[in-house]
Amino acid sequence: MMSVQQILQGESPELRQSSSPVTEFDQELDELLENLKDTLQANRGLGLSAPQVGVHKQVVVIDIGQGIEAFINPKIIASFGQVSEYESCLSFPDYTLKVSRPQRITVDAHDDQGHLVHIDATDLLARIICHEIDHLNGVLFFDHLSEEDLYSQLLENSFVTDAETESHDAPSPSDAVRSVKQEAIQKAVQEELQLSIDMLSELSWKLVLSLEILKDYEHLFSQTVDWDALRKATDTMDQTIATVQVCIDSNSTTDSSEER
Ligand code: ZN
């Protein structure tokens, strides 16, 4: 039975709460694990924690392409090295940020039967485990960045071109993270373009309307108004809106055809 849960989106007090350890390895836990796995799969995510679906228990599920693994009461007992890489979060789907994480970690956790397991994780797996354990402590990925760094990354993201992101396309474990990033950038660009033509459309009809009103009172003006230039301006605006709209439409069709 599929039971995809709603994932908490954006800053919410529930994502800031700490989760309690699991003590009963019972049917309730099994149901929570099923829900988390279904939700992770439905969202094609790499990792998901229980607090993201509003359950404050120390449970996370992770899928980096080798099947879904569950970690219960996970604790990092040792970490080595530092790597800065892109990551994203199902609770903040619009953001992909470069965050520094240990290159290798050793983790103690319980499996779904309550047995203690010992995991050695590196690179992408280590990164995702750290990200999900953070959720259990009410910590979000951008908490690792200074306000300045966060701001400059967000700005940089909105100006990165497709060509630049594609040049990083060497096969690596972080490909999944990169494709999430590329999607986020594309979405941000589309939104910005849409916003600009929405504003332009508003300007255009407001200009047309004000010209109509002004024309009625033309006889009151001491000097002549350049109606032709104003009319040309609305034509130019409409042309620009059409051009940008074609660009948005063609990008959104490439989007869906590229989906794997
Ligand atoms: Zn997350």
mmCIF file of all heavy atoms in Angstrom, residues 76-104:
data_model
loop_
_atom_site.group_PDB
_atom_site.id
_atom_site.type_symbol
_atom_site.label_atom_id
_atom_site.label_comp_id
_atom_site.label_asym_id
_atom_site.label_seq_id
_atom_site.Cartn_x
_atom_site.Cartn_y
_atom_site.Cartn_z
ATOM 1 N N ILE A 76 26.790 10.018 14.672
ATOM 2 C CA ILE A 76 28.135 10.080 14.094
ATOM 3 C C ILE A 76 29.127 9.908 15.239
ATOM 4 O O ILE A 76 29.112 10.688 16.196
ATOM 5 C CB ILE A 76 28.355 11.423 13.370
ATOM 6 C CG1 ILE A 76 27.368 11.542 12.204
ATOM 7 C CG2 ILE A 76 29.796 11.545 12.881
ATOM 8 C CD1 ILE A 76 27.321 12.900 11.552
ATOM 9 N N ILE A 77 29.971 8.869 15.156
ATOM 10 C CA ILE A 77 30.927 8.672 16.252
ATOM 11 C C ILE A 77 32.337 9.109 15.857
ATOM 12 O O ILE A 77 33.168 9.320 16.719
ATOM 13 C CB ILE A 77 30.902 7.228 16.789
ATOM 14 C CG1 ILE A 77 31.114 6.215 15.666
ATOM 15 C CG2 ILE A 77 29.578 6.938 17.494
ATOM 16 C CD1 ILE A 77 31.410 4.847 16.202
ATOM 17 N N ALA A 78 32.576 9.260 14.539
ATOM 18 C CA ALA A 78 33.870 9.794 14.104
ATOM 19 C C ALA A 78 33.709 10.408 12.726
ATOM 20 O O ALA A 78 32.880 9.959 11.930
ATOM 21 C CB ALA A 78 34.907 8.683 14.059
ATOM 22 N N SER A 79 34.481 11.454 12.445
ATOM 23 C CA SER A 79 34.431 12.050 11.105
ATOM 24 C C SER A 79 35.822 12.489 10.682
ATOM 25 O O SER A 79 36.646 12.834 11.521
ATOM 26 C CB SER A 79 33.445 13.217 11.081
ATOM 27 O OG SER A 79 33.911 14.252 11.907
ATOM 28 N N PHE A 80 36.056 12.420 9.373
ATOM 29 C CA PHE A 80 37.381 12.724 8.823
ATOM 30 C C PHE A 80 37.266 13.606 7.598
ATOM 31 O O PHE A 80 36.398 13.376 6.756
ATOM 32 C CB PHE A 80 38.096 11.425 8.404
ATOM 33 C CG PHE A 80 38.039 10.347 9.443
ATOM 34 C CD1 PHE A 80 36.994 9.434 9.457
ATOM 35 C CD2 PHE A 80 39.029 10.256 10.422
ATOM 36 C CE1 PHE A 80 36.922 8.447 10.426
ATOM 37 C CE2 PHE A 80 38.962 9.272 11.395
ATOM 38 C CZ PHE A 80 37.913 8.364 11.395
ATOM 39 N N GLY A 81 38.144 14.572 7.476
ATOM 40 C CA GLY A 81 38.215 15.403 6.276
ATOM 41 C C GLY A 81 37.057 16.370 6.140
ATOM 42 O O GLY A 81 36.092 16.328 6.919
ATOM 43 N N GLN A 82 37.143 17.241 5.143
ATOM 44 C CA GLN A 82 36.090 18.214 4.852
ATOM 45 C C GLN A 82 35.961 18.331 3.344
ATOM 46 O O GLN A 82 36.966 18.452 2.658
ATOM 47 C CB GLN A 82 36.455 19.588 5.424
ATOM 48 C CG GLN A 82 36.304 19.719 6.935
ATOM 49 C CD GLN A 82 34.850 19.703 7.380
ATOM 50 O OE1 GLN A 82 34.004 20.373 6.785
ATOM 51 N NE2 GLN A 82 34.538 18.928 8.397
ATOM 52 N N VAL A 83 34.736 18.255 2.832
ATOM 53 C CA VAL A 83 34.508 18.439 1.403
ATOM 54 C C VAL A 83 33.363 19.424 1.219
ATOM 55 O O VAL A 83 32.337 19.319 1.889
ATOM 56 C CB VAL A 83 34.120 17.107 0.695
ATOM 57 C CG1 VAL A 83 34.060 17.312 -0.810
ATOM 58 C CG2 VAL A 83 35.084 15.997 1.043
ATOM 59 N N SER A 84 33.553 20.363 0.307
ATOM 60 C CA SER A 84 32.495 21.311 0.002
ATOM 61 C C SER A 84 31.814 20.866 -1.284
ATOM 62 O O SER A 84 32.471 20.742 -2.318
ATOM 63 C CB SER A 84 33.114 22.700 -0.151
ATOM 64 O OG SER A 84 32.190 23.669 0.219
ATOM 65 N N GLU A 85 30.529 20.566 -1.214
ATOM 66 C CA GLU A 85 29.785 20.102 -2.403
ATOM 67 C C GLU A 85 28.353 20.633 -2.354
ATOM 68 O O GLU A 85 27.880 21.070 -1.319
ATOM 69 C CB GLU A 85 29.766 18.565 -2.437
ATOM 70 C CG GLU A 85 30.721 17.942 -3.443
ATOM 71 C CD GLU A 85 30.506 18.395 -4.887
ATOM 72 O OE1 GLU A 85 29.431 18.954 -5.203
ATOM 73 O OE2 GLU A 85 31.433 18.200 -5.690
ATOM 74 N N TYR A 86 27.681 20.524 -3.518
ATOM 75 C CA TYR A 86 26.293 20.980 -3.590
ATOM 76 C C TYR A 86 25.363 19.980 -2.937
ATOM 77 O O TYR A 86 25.547 18.774 -3.067
ATOM 78 C CB TYR A 86 25.874 21.182 -5.042
ATOM 79 C CG TYR A 86 26.545 22.379 -5.655
ATOM 80 C CD1 TYR A 86 27.591 22.233 -6.553
ATOM 81 C CD2 TYR A 86 26.153 23.667 -5.281
ATOM 82 C CE1 TYR A 86 28.228 23.335 -7.088
ATOM 83 C CE2 TYR A 86 26.786 24.775 -5.806
ATOM 84 C CZ TYR A 86 27.817 24.609 -6.705
ATOM 85 O OH TYR A 86 28.445 25.694 -7.223
ATOM 86 N N GLU A 87 24.362 20.478 -2.235
ATOM 87 C CA GLU A 87 23.296 19.610 -1.750
ATOM 88 C C GLU A 87 21.980 20.357 -1.708
ATOM 89 O O GLU A 87 21.940 21.594 -1.759
ATOM 90 C CB GLU A 87 23.647 19.003 -0.382
ATOM 91 C CG GLU A 87 23.806 19.984 0.748
ATOM 92 C CD GLU A 87 24.259 19.291 2.046
ATOM 93 O OE1 GLU A 87 25.402 18.786 2.082
ATOM 94 O OE2 GLU A 87 23.484 19.264 3.005
ATOM 95 N N SER A 88 20.911 19.578 -1.675
ATOM 96 C CA SER A 88 19.587 20.197 -1.620
ATOM 97 C C SER A 88 18.741 19.435 -0.614
ATOM 98 O O SER A 88 19.191 18.455 -0.041
ATOM 99 C CB SER A 88 18.940 20.196 -3.002
ATOM 100 O OG SER A 88 18.988 18.905 -3.539
ATOM 101 N N CYS A 89 17.521 19.903 -0.427
ATOM 102 C CA CYS A 89 16.675 19.357 0.640
ATOM 103 C C CYS A 89 15.241 19.312 0.145
ATOM 104 O O CYS A 89 14.765 20.262 -0.469
ATOM 105 C CB CYS A 89 16.786 20.269 1.857
ATOM 106 S SG CYS A 89 15.791 19.735 3.251
ATOM 107 N N LEU A 90 14.541 18.207 0.397
ATOM 108 C CA LEU A 90 13.154 18.082 -0.068
ATOM 109 C C LEU A 90 12.233 19.112 0.599
ATOM 110 O O LEU A 90 11.168 19.417 0.078
ATOM 111 C CB LEU A 90 12.620 16.665 0.190
ATOM 112 C CG LEU A 90 13.213 15.559 -0.698
ATOM 113 C CD1 LEU A 90 12.708 14.193 -0.262
ATOM 114 C CD2 LEU A 90 12.887 15.794 -2.172
ATOM 115 N N SER A 91 12.669 19.667 1.731
ATOM 116 C CA SER A 91 11.861 20.703 2.385
ATOM 117 C C SER A 91 12.135 22.096 1.814
ATOM 118 O O SER A 91 11.406 23.041 2.093
ATOM 119 C CB SER A 91 12.122 20.710 3.894
ATOM 120 O OG SER A 91 11.602 19.545 4.478
ATOM 121 N N PHE A 92 13.214 22.204 1.024
ATOM 122 C CA PHE A 92 13.555 23.488 0.384
ATOM 123 C C PHE A 92 13.923 23.221 -1.070
ATOM 124 O O PHE A 92 15.079 23.406 -1.477
ATOM 125 C CB PHE A 92 14.728 24.161 1.126
ATOM 126 C CG PHE A 92 14.395 24.531 2.534
ATOM 127 C CD1 PHE A 92 14.576 23.604 3.555
ATOM 128 C CD2 PHE A 92 13.872 25.769 2.850
ATOM 129 C CE1 PHE A 92 14.243 23.914 4.868
ATOM 130 C CE2 PHE A 92 13.540 26.092 4.156
ATOM 131 C CZ PHE A 92 13.732 25.159 5.168
ATOM 132 N N PRO A 93 12.970 22.748 -1.873
ATOM 133 C CA PRO A 93 13.303 22.285 -3.219
ATOM 134 C C PRO A 93 13.884 23.356 -4.144
ATOM 135 O O PRO A 93 14.487 23.024 -5.152
ATOM 136 C CB PRO A 93 11.966 21.756 -3.749
ATOM 137 C CG PRO A 93 10.929 22.315 -2.866
ATOM 138 C CD PRO A 93 11.554 22.610 -1.551
ATOM 139 N N ASP A 94 13.746 24.618 -3.785
ATOM 140 C CA ASP A 94 14.247 25.669 -4.671
ATOM 141 C C ASP A 94 15.706 26.033 -4.418
ATOM 142 O O ASP A 94 16.267 26.850 -5.140
ATOM 143 C CB ASP A 94 13.391 26.931 -4.533
ATOM 144 C CG ASP A 94 11.984 26.699 -5.052
ATOM 145 O OD1 ASP A 94 11.803 25.754 -5.848
ATOM 146 O OD2 ASP A 94 11.077 27.444 -4.654
ATOM 147 N N TYR A 95 16.319 25.451 -3.401
ATOM 148 C CA TYR A 95 17.683 25.846 -3.055
ATOM 149 C C TYR A 95 18.665 24.692 -3.213
ATOM 150 O O TYR A 95 18.406 23.591 -2.749
ATOM 151 C CB TYR A 95 17.758 26.340 -1.614
ATOM 152 C CG TYR A 95 16.887 27.533 -1.364
ATOM 153 C CD1 TYR A 95 15.626 27.383 -0.816
ATOM 154 C CD2 TYR A 95 17.323 28.802 -1.704
ATOM 155 C CE1 TYR A 95 14.812 28.482 -0.600
ATOM 156 C CE2 TYR A 95 16.528 29.906 -1.497
ATOM 157 C CZ TYR A 95 15.271 29.744 -0.942
ATOM 158 O OH TYR A 95 14.478 30.825 -0.736
ATOM 159 N N THR A 96 19.772 24.952 -3.878
ATOM 160 C CA THR A 96 20.882 24.007 -3.930
ATOM 161 C C THR A 96 22.111 24.789 -3.510
ATOM 162 O O THR A 96 22.453 25.792 -4.135
ATOM 163 C CB THR A 96 21.030 23.441 -5.346
ATOM 164 O OG1 THR A 96 19.785 22.843 -5.712
ATOM 165 C CG2 THR A 96 22.104 22.376 -5.386
ATOM 166 N N LEU A 97 22.736 24.348 -2.444
ATOM 167 C CA LEU A 97 23.796 25.148 -1.836
ATOM 168 C C LEU A 97 25.041 24.317 -1.586
ATOM 169 O O LEU A 97 24.952 23.116 -1.333
ATOM 170 C CB LEU A 97 23.301 25.717 -0.503
ATOM 171 C CG LEU A 97 22.050 26.598 -0.590
ATOM 172 C CD1 LEU A 97 21.455 26.812 0.786
ATOM 173 C CD2 LEU A 97 22.383 27.932 -1.255
ATOM 174 N N LYS A 98 26.178 24.987 -1.686
ATOM 175 C CA LYS A 98 27.448 24.322 -1.438
ATOM 176 C C LYS A 98 27.711 24.347 0.066
ATOM 177 O O LYS A 98 27.820 25.419 0.665
ATOM 178 C CB LYS A 98 28.563 25.058 -2.194
ATOM 179 C CG LYS A 98 29.702 24.160 -2.565
ATOM 180 C CD LYS A 98 30.572 24.802 -3.619
ATOM 181 C CE LYS A 98 31.479 23.736 -4.225
ATOM 182 N NZ LYS A 98 32.317 24.254 -5.272
ATOM 183 N N VAL A 99 27.776 23.155 0.645
ATOM 184 C CA VAL A 99 27.923 23.031 2.099
ATOM 185 C C VAL A 99 29.123 22.139 2.382
ATOM 186 O O VAL A 99 29.357 21.147 1.692
ATOM 187 C CB VAL A 99 26.649 22.410 2.717
ATOM 188 C CG1 VAL A 99 26.816 22.208 4.222
ATOM 189 C CG2 VAL A 99 25.431 23.265 2.426
ATOM 190 N N SER A 100 29.893 22.501 3.411
ATOM 191 C CA SER A 100 31.058 21.706 3.789
ATOM 192 C C SER A 100 30.631 20.591 4.747
ATOM 193 O O SER A 100 29.919 20.832 5.719
ATOM 194 C CB SER A 100 32.089 22.625 4.452
ATOM 195 O OG SER A 100 33.229 21.878 4.786
ATOM 196 N N ARG A 101 31.042 19.342 4.408
ATOM 197 C CA ARG A 101 30.698 18.165 5.235
ATOM 198 C C ARG A 101 31.938 17.296 5.359
ATOM 199 O O ARG A 101 32.841 17.365 4.511
ATOM 200 C CB ARG A 101 29.613 17.328 4.537
ATOM 201 C CG ARG A 101 28.302 18.035 4.272
ATOM 202 C CD ARG A 101 27.438 18.098 5.496
ATOM 203 N NE ARG A 101 26.083 18.537 5.152
ATOM 204 C CZ ARG A 101 25.169 18.831 6.071
ATOM 205 N NH1 ARG A 101 25.465 18.718 7.366
ATOM 206 N NH2 ARG A 101 23.977 19.229 5.699
ATOM 207 N N PRO A 102 31.961 16.391 6.352
ATOM 208 C CA PRO A 102 33.089 15.455 6.448
ATOM 209 C C PRO A 102 33.140 14.556 5.207
ATOM 210 O O PRO A 102 32.095 14.204 4.649
ATOM 211 C CB PRO A 102 32.761 14.615 7.684
ATOM 212 C CG PRO A 102 31.715 15.366 8.425
ATOM 213 C CD PRO A 102 30.997 16.224 7.436
ATOM 214 N N GLN A 103 34.363 14.179 4.802
ATOM 215 C CA GLN A 103 34.501 13.291 3.634
ATOM 216 C C GLN A 103 34.155 11.861 4.025
ATOM 217 O O GLN A 103 33.630 11.094 3.235
ATOM 218 C CB GLN A 103 35.945 13.386 3.097
ATOM 219 C CG GLN A 103 36.187 12.683 1.771
ATOM 220 C CD GLN A 103 36.587 11.224 1.910
ATOM 221 O OE1 GLN A 103 37.247 10.852 2.884
ATOM 222 N NE2 GLN A 103 36.160 10.389 0.968
ATOM 223 N N ARG A 104 34.443 11.526 5.280
ATOM 224 C CA ARG A 104 34.171 10.157 5.742
ATOM 225 C C ARG A 104 33.638 10.220 7.166
ATOM 226 O O ARG A 104 34.125 11.002 7.984
ATOM 227 C CB ARG A 104 35.467 9.340 5.708
ATOM 228 C CG ARG A 104 35.282 7.889 6.101
ATOM 229 C CD ARG A 104 36.416 7.030 5.564
ATOM 230 N NE ARG A 104 37.651 7.145 6.334
ATOM 231 C CZ ARG A 104 37.945 6.367 7.390
ATOM 232 N NH1 ARG A 104 37.104 5.445 7.791
ATOM 233 N NH2 ARG A 104 39.094 6.507 8.015
#
